[in-house]
Amino acid sequence: MPARLSRRDFLKCSVIAGIGVYVAAPGSTALAALFETERLRPAAWDPATGRIRYRTDATAKVSGEKVFSFDMRSRDLPGWPREQAHAMLLRATLADRVYQGFDLSSLPADLQPDRVVAAEDLARDGVAFPAFYGDDLLLPPGKTPAYLGQAVALLIWNEFARFRAAKSRLKFRPELIRWGEATGPVERAPWATFRYVRVGGEDAYADDVYSSYKDTVLFPTGYRKHNPEWVKGDAGGKLDAQGVAHADAMEAELAAPAPGKLVIEREYFSQSIDTAAMELDNANGWYDAATGTVHLVSATQSPNEIAEDGARMLAATRFGVKRLVLHPCYTVGYGSKDHSPFPFIALMAALYGGGRPVRLANDRYEQFQSSLKRHSFRMHYRLQADRASGRFEIFHGRMTGDGGGRMNFSPSVCLVAATAAQSIYYFPRSDLSSTVIASRALDAGSARGYGTLQSMSATEMLIDEIAAELKLDPIELRLRNVFATGMKNTQGAIPAGAQRADEVLRKSRGHPLWTQREKRKREYEAAHPGQRYGVGYGCVQKDYGTGGEAAFAEVALTPQGRIRLRHIGIEMGTGMATSQAVVCAKWLGRPADEVLTGETDWSALPLHATDDTWLMTQATQDAHVGDPRWTPNYTSPSSASNSAFFFSHATREAARLVFTQGLWPAALALWGQGFGGGQLAPLAVRREEARWVDGKLTAGGLQPLALERLAAKAFELGLATGATVHGFNRWQWAEAEYPLSGDDARLPLDGVALRWGDGSRAGAGTPTADGYRMIERSRAHYPPVQRNNAGVTYYSAIGTIAEVAVDTATGKVELLNHHSILECGTPIVEQLVSSQLQGGLAMGIGHALHEFLPLYEDGPGDGTWNFNRYTLPRARDVAVWAQSGDILPPLSPTDAPKGIAEVVMISVVPAIANAVTHATGLRLRELPITPDKVLAALAAAPSAPRAQEAHA
């Protein structure tokens, strides 16, 4: 990025809190020296098969090009000073006494930092975290740390050699921090509690008597020792009191079950883990005081958040910042870089660099000490079933998660854990609540699984226990209770489309690993003395999306027929850039030739959001809906498995508009050339008959036309050659009416801008930017805010069979094989779905058998954790050469793709736990299932009976 923005660049900036914000994503001219277009080549496309050969970023990654921010230094960045400063954070390793400052006297004079930044500097200069992250960007003396690993000072060196030597000396030195009186840990109220009560009607399809969606979600009136307190139940009172009254009735029935009813009560534990992202948290920031510009290169899943909240943060300081230039790069993280505080700490560091760019990058010890963790959860479940039929009747759940020292996304993780607990089952009555406490543990955030891994794994382990009690095949019990199409979830909402978990179950039931499990058990144990063989099963369905998904996308043609795609999404290893390119092929005949990700300049479609989409009232929405430039949410981060369905929706709709408003009328014009209406006149051809064949457009026997020819005609006639769109989804798509013809008069979009020809001609709409005209909607139809109470309506399902061997001498659980069956709608790129499945399974295996972080004083907050203490699964641990997987075929080619990046890691966790039970007869309800836990359980068991009754 040049040190000084051009006038055109400046005019294209968004202005937030008085600061111009310019976001230059990979591939943009601002990083041309790093991201030439040829480095992110279009994927090789075979029109005959509709398949690609490799990812758009494949060449750049395998050749070691700099597409990750971790690799970048100031000398790599156009216009930046060559001199690079380096920084590190000092962190508190205790959280039960008063912090009184730090002591760097152990460093010799030549290794002392060139700049030390402490809390008093931030207070003087007005530098503070955005509100989302709470107080104390750096902890001031006189306070007890809110959590282990809290940052207390920033140290900056102007030369790398001195920085490296000093950092090595400062490592593992707790005496650097001075402490005062013991206070005990800081006590705070829980971050959140959500409770969902449902009482169904006469059958699974009748109207509910009471539900959160129809009536209300329950919230506590207060807390007593972290335990939520509720209003008094009153069947004739307000809605919340009615809900508690229904819950009280369920409680009474569970406490004294009627004859013929089975009530099982169990408790399960899911541990805290590190997300172990291969790219460590990092950023490089430079404050150019001469121009008042802060430049930041950062690894993030949520660039729009940094652009907005970072601008507000900088505007509040005394430094006179006028502009923020942000470069979000490719990254990996699976949640760990979504709303992470790290980029804001890096912005702070940039302000104190004295004119030099400051690189702040974790090593692996620092990553363990500071990165976002997965929430640990303890789940207490009770389930009532009818003994004769095996039908579930009441599900009661109480979940407590540990959110650590900052709130982050704990409230939504809390919510999702509760709404996911039902998994693939229908429950006529349910009372599910979840609380996430604040503690001195490290921050927990949006780690892959997002609360559902914890609650659904426990549900699946409970189902196997019920099957054993009822002497039913575990899959048979699941089939008797599986959630079917049109039924309501535990919030009272009917999910989208056909529910196919029953197909996953039936296909799993017929797999040889399942049908031959008893025979294999006998043979394996006879051949391997001292080992116990087991097969277990888990089947889950997980939501995708957040209930407030929003995305921009632009699809545009050049006169030569090249396709350019711009999108808000960030590539974080999922193949998002590749899949979004492929989405264009349905309407344009081939994938996008150029893909720009992490885009935040949408001046062609100037929408604005004013309120929190999850908290706004219906009256607030109604007051804004008449404004054609208002939307409930501007953009979403790359998270919540949202690219395949939600992001693709925006891409698909943009490509569709280019086709319907540009290429199709261009094709009709070409086919209609000649005397008497040409080749088109004798035929009756409709748009729905159009097909791309071998990269050319044809319909009803008409001459196939290449995209290059169609694009040239569209430019010549002033037809649509580019579309910028915005979509919003609150568990249902927003729709709007537009002054466009035919099917385009009402679209599942709340914002549309079109470029007619080269953009210089007059056309429908209000001129905006880059030759576009905003097609202002005449009426918008937003989902009611009550739909937030639905909790979720989009699900994808997976079932996994796991085969294990347990060594009774060592307690080691060896995963011999596993097979998964995934339901994902229509895959955009099957190879990417396969890679997500394999990677997700590896993460699930790690959670089930290997990964564990202590929460408090002996955990990673002390700065001594690395992979020498933390075990990730290796290839030998995941049955890499034996594993297999199937994808259910879509019901039709028109099925939408589903989000699967999270669900693929979950079912293997209970499958392994249930397999260990089949092997040993023992039920281990605390994860991970480590050798010491297995040995302890074997030693405590009188005779270690086999769990044959569960598989009779």
Side-chain angles (χ1 to χ4, degrees):
M1 178 68 204
R4 290 168 175 80
L5 294 172
S6 69
R7 181 175 179 275
R8 172 176 169 77
D9 286 338
F10 176 72
L11 291 175
K12 288 181 67 176
C13 290
S14 301
V15 178
I16 301 170
I19 287 184
V21 180
Y22 183 82
V23 181
S28 68
T29 55
L31 280 181
L34 294 175
F35 297 109
E36 296 96 334
T37 300
E38 61 265 24
R39 290 188 179 180
L40 301 177
R41 297 180 176 89
W45 175 253
D46 182 353
T49 62
R51 292 177 178 269
I52 59 169
R53 289 179 50 211
Y54 49 79
R55 292 167 53 139
T56 58
D57 55 359
T59 304
K61 286 184 175 179
V62 300
S63 60
E65 300 290 1
K66 293 185 176 184
V67 296
F68 293 98
S69 64
F70 195 87
D71 296 327
M72 297 186 193
R73 305 296 184 271
S74 59
R75 64 178 178 272
D76 301 318
L77 296 160
W80 285 40
R82 292 186 60 80
E83 298 78 16
Q84 175 76 70
H86 298 267
M88 65 171 286
L89 290 164
L90 285 184
R91 295 184 178 273
T93 56
L94 299 173
D96 61 353
R97 58 203 69 185
V98 175
Y99 165 66
Q100 291 190 331
F102 54 91
D103 181 3
L104 299 180
S105 61
S106 60
L107 284 179
D110 62 333
L111 293 184
Q112 288 288 326
D114 296 293
R115 183 70 165 91
V116 176
V117 183
E120 55 264 33
D121 299 300
L122 304 188
R124 179 195 65 228
D125 298 334
V127 181
F129 264 143
F132 179 83
Y133 299 98
D135 298 327
D136 297 334
L137 196 161
L138 295 176
L139 183 70
K143 295 184 71 171
T144 299
Y147 56 97
L148 295 155
Q150 187 166 4
V152 300
L154 177 79
L155 313 180
I156 303 174
W157 287 264
N158 289 340
E159 295 86 23
F160 178 76
R162 293 173 55 242
F163 160 74
R164 185 71 262 174
K167 186 172 183 177
S168 297
R169 290 196 181 211
L170 294 176
K171 269 190 173 306
F172 318 126
R173 300 284 296 275
E175 67 272 16
L176 295 172
I177 308 299
R178 297 197 301 264
W179 298 106
E181 63 176 320
T183 60
V186 176
E187 290 290 332
R188 291 169 290 174
W191 295 127
T193 294
F194 292 89
R195 187 176 182 182
Y196 295 87
V197 173
R198 176 177 176 269
V199 177
E202 295 180 357
D203 59 41
Y205 305 96
D207 290 344
D208 286 344
V209 174
Y210 184 93
S211 74
S212 300
Y213 180 28
K214 183 173 75 72
D215 298 294
T216 185
V217 179
L218 302 182
F219 298 98
T221 58
Y223 295 94
R224 177 175 296 177
K225 294 183 178 179
H226 291 173
N227 295 313
E229 297 181 313
W230 308 95
V231 299
K232 184 178 177 61
D234 183 355
K238 294 181 178 180
L239 288 177
D240 56 349
Q242 291 178 34
V244 173
H246 287 298
D248 290 343
M250 284 183 255
E251 176 77 31
E253 189 170 339
L254 289 168
K261 307 299 181 184
L262 167 67
V263 174
I264 283 191
E265 181 173 357
R266 297 290 185 267
E267 186 168 284
Y268 302 90
F269 175 76
S270 181
Q271 76 279 24
S272 169
I273 66 103
D274 192 83
T275 49
M278 294 307 293
E279 185 190 25
L280 306 162
D281 288 344
N282 71 94
N284 204 342
W286 170 43
Y287 177 43
D288 180 5
T291 63
T293 303
V294 173
H295 303 257
L296 184 71
V297 177
S298 179
T300 178
Q301 293 174 228
S302 42
N304 201 72
E305 181 224 6
I306 301 173
E308 292 186 358
D309 287 348
R312 295 187 183 98
M313 170 185 169
L314 295 170
T317 72
R318 70 159 184 84
F319 287 90
V321 178
K322 299 175 183 177
R323 286 179 291 276
L324 169 62
V325 180
L326 174 65
H327 303 290
C329 298
Y330 280 37
T331 189
V332 289
Y334 287 95
S336 66
K337 293 184 177 67
D338 178 11
H339 283 70
S340 163
F342 197 92
F344 299 99
I345 298 172
L347 283 175
M348 176 269 288
L351 294 174
Y352 294 97
R356 291 175 182 254
V358 179
R359 182 172 186 263
L360 183 65
N362 282 347
D363 60 26
R364 188 58 67 175
Y365 288 103
E366 292 167 319
Q367 187 75 4
F368 270 100
Q369 191 179 22
S370 64
S371 66
L372 296 176
K373 306 299 185 239
R374 179 176 295 149
H375 291 73
S376 73
F377 263 89
R378 191 164 294 278
M379 291 133 297
H380 185 271
Y381 287 168
R382 286 185 289 172
L383 196 154
Q384 176 173 296
D386 179 73
R387 287 185 178 273
S389 65
R391 300 282 186 183
F392 301 155
E393 295 179 340
I394 299 175
F395 187 26
H396 181 280
R398 295 291 179 264
M399 292 156 255
T400 302
D402 194 313
R406 294 190 186 274
M407 182 170 68
N408 205 277
F409 275 135
S410 284
S412 58
V413 171
C414 178
L415 180 156
V416 173
T419 59
Q422 76 173 96
S423 190
I424 61 167
Y425 308 105
Y426 175 74
F427 294 99
R429 290 176 288 168
S430 55
D431 174 14
L432 302 169
S433 72
S434 177
T435 297
V436 173
I437 65 169
S439 79
R440 65 190 186 280
L442 276 68
D443 303 7
S446 55
R448 192 180 197 179
Y450 210 82
T452 68
L453 168 74
Q454 298 90 318
S455 63
M456 285 196 292
S457 293
T459 301
E460 282 298 281
M461 293 157 73
L462 178 66
I463 299 308
D464 260 42
E465 295 207 41
I466 295 171
E469 180 70 24
L470 297 178
K471 295 182 171 52
L472 285 172
D473 177 281
I475 295 183
E476 173 58 29
L477 178 64
R478 287 169 167 83
L479 280 166
R480 293 187 187 187
N481 292 281
V482 69
F483 193 99
T485 303
M487 291 180 173
K488 300 182 188 69
N489 61 23
T490 50
Q491 301 83 254
I494 298 175
Q499 302 305 296
R500 304 182 67 190
D502 59 332
E503 295 179 55
V504 174
L505 290 170
R506 291 189 177 91
K507 193 172 179 66
S508 301
R509 185 172 58 178
H511 193 274
L513 275 177
W514 189 254
T515 60
Q516 300 174 18
R517 63 193 184 283
E518 298 306 338
K519 175 177 177 289
R520 289 173 181 249
K521 182 176 179 67
R522 291 190 297 270
E523 293 174 349
Y524 189 93
E525 293 180 358
H528 300 83
Q531 294 198 18
R532 296 290 178 262
Y533 173 98
V535 172
Y537 185 68
C539 188
V540 300
Q541 61 185 19
K542 189 196 177 298
D543 66 301
Y544 49 96
T546 64
E549 294 292 341
F552 283 97
E554 178 197 9
V555 174
L557 300 172
T558 69
Q560 297 76 34
R562 287 181 59 80
I563 306 167
R564 185 178 85 146
L565 168 64
R566 295 173 62 244
H567 209 290
I568 64 160
I570 283 287
E571 176 60 76
M572 58 174 185
T574 60
M576 169 266 174
T578 304
S579 63
Q580 293 306 307
V582 172
V583 167
C584 296
K586 175 181 178 181
W587 292 102
L588 305 182
R590 68 168 188 264
D593 300 293
E594 180 183 1
V595 182
L596 301 178
T597 61
E599 293 283 297
T600 61
D601 173 21
W602 299 100
S603 49
L605 183 54
L607 300 181
H608 62 94
T610 57
D611 300 271
D612 189 316
T613 185
W614 294 277
L615 299 178
M616 74 173 62
T617 65
Q618 188 63 46
T620 298
Q621 178 167 293
D622 293 344
H624 288 299
V625 76
D627 178 357
R629 302 193 175 200
W630 180 83
T631 181
N633 196 21
Y634 192 72
T635 61
S636 297
S638 294
S639 61
S641 299
N642 56 10
S643 68
F645 183 77
F646 301 98
F647 287 3
S648 294
H649 176 82
T651 304
R652 187 182 304 108
E653 290 297 316
R656 180 186 173 279
L657 280 168
V658 170
F659 179 84
T660 60
Q661 297 291 320
L663 297 185
W664 179 249
L668 294 177
L670 289 168
W671 288 325
Q673 289 175 350
F675 181 76
Q679 61 175 296
L680 178 62
L683 301 173
V685 177
R686 294 179 173 86
R687 193 176 69 193
E688 57 265 29
E689 297 170 4
R691 297 291 185 275
W692 291 96
V693 180
D694 294 331
K696 295 182 178 181
L697 183 68
T698 184
L702 291 161
Q703 176 192 14
L705 301 172
L707 180 60
E708 292 78 3
R709 189 176 177 191
L710 291 166
K713 193 66 174 178
F715 273 88
E716 175 192 335
L717 298 178
L719 301 171
T721 59
T724 298
V725 305
H726 184 270
F728 172 74
N729 184 293
R730 185 186 286 130
W731 304 124
Q732 175 183 336
W733 287 111
E735 296 185 347
E737 298 170 20
Y738 296 93
L740 297 171
S741 60
D743 294 343
D744 295 339
R746 179 162 175 156
L747 297 169
L749 299 166
D750 67 343
V752 170
L754 297 176
R755 186 187 69 195
W756 304 105
D758 63 3
S760 63
R761 303 187 187 188
T766 304
T768 52
D770 301 321
Y772 277 87
R773 289 174 173 263
M774 183 173 179
I775 313 299
E776 295 189 345
R777 65 198 187 216
S778 56
R779 180 176 297 181
H781 306 272
Y782 285 107
V785 299
Q786 179 77 4
R787 201 152 178 84
N788 284 323
N789 292 355
V792 58
T793 59
Y794 300 106
Y795 291 110
S796 51
I798 186 173
T800 298
I801 308 168
E803 180 186 42
V804 305
V806 180
D807 191 312
T808 58
T810 65
K812 176 179 170 59
V813 178
E814 181 184 0
L815 182 62
L816 302 173
N817 196 1
H818 52 91
H819 178 78
S820 294
I821 299 166
L822 174 66
E823 189 272 309
C824 64
T826 301
I828 302 172
V829 181
E830 286 193 25
Q831 297 94 324
L832 292 178
V833 173
S834 176
S835 69
Q836 286 294 300
L837 177 60
Q838 294 171 50
L841 285 163
M843 289 183 75
I845 292 163
H847 193 85
L849 295 176
H850 303 285
E851 299 179 59
F852 173 75
L853 285 175
L855 283 169
Y856 303 125
E857 279 69 23
D858 53 348
D862 67 7
T864 66
W865 279 74
N866 205 322
F867 288 128
N868 61 327
R869 301 179 66 184
Y870 187 85
T871 305
L872 285 176
R874 290 3 187 243
R876 64 174 181 268
D877 301 313
V878 300
V880 66
W881 302 117
Q883 63 174 287
S884 57
D886 292 331
I887 298 174
L888 286 187
L891 298 174
S892 81
T894 63
D895 289 14
K898 296 186 175 184
I900 54 93
E902 292 181 281
V903 74
V904 288
M905 73 172 296
I906 300 173
S907 58
V908 71
V909 176
I912 289 171
N914 292 332
V916 170
T917 297
H918 181 218
T920 65
L922 306 171
R923 296 200 181 273
L924 283 78
R925 303 185 182 96
E926 299 216 352
L927 300 175
I929 300 174
T930 51
D932 58 324
K933 292 178 183 176
V934 174
L935 288 176
L938 287 169
S943 57
R946 295 182 184 177
Q948 298 287 355
E949 71 276 6
H951 307 280

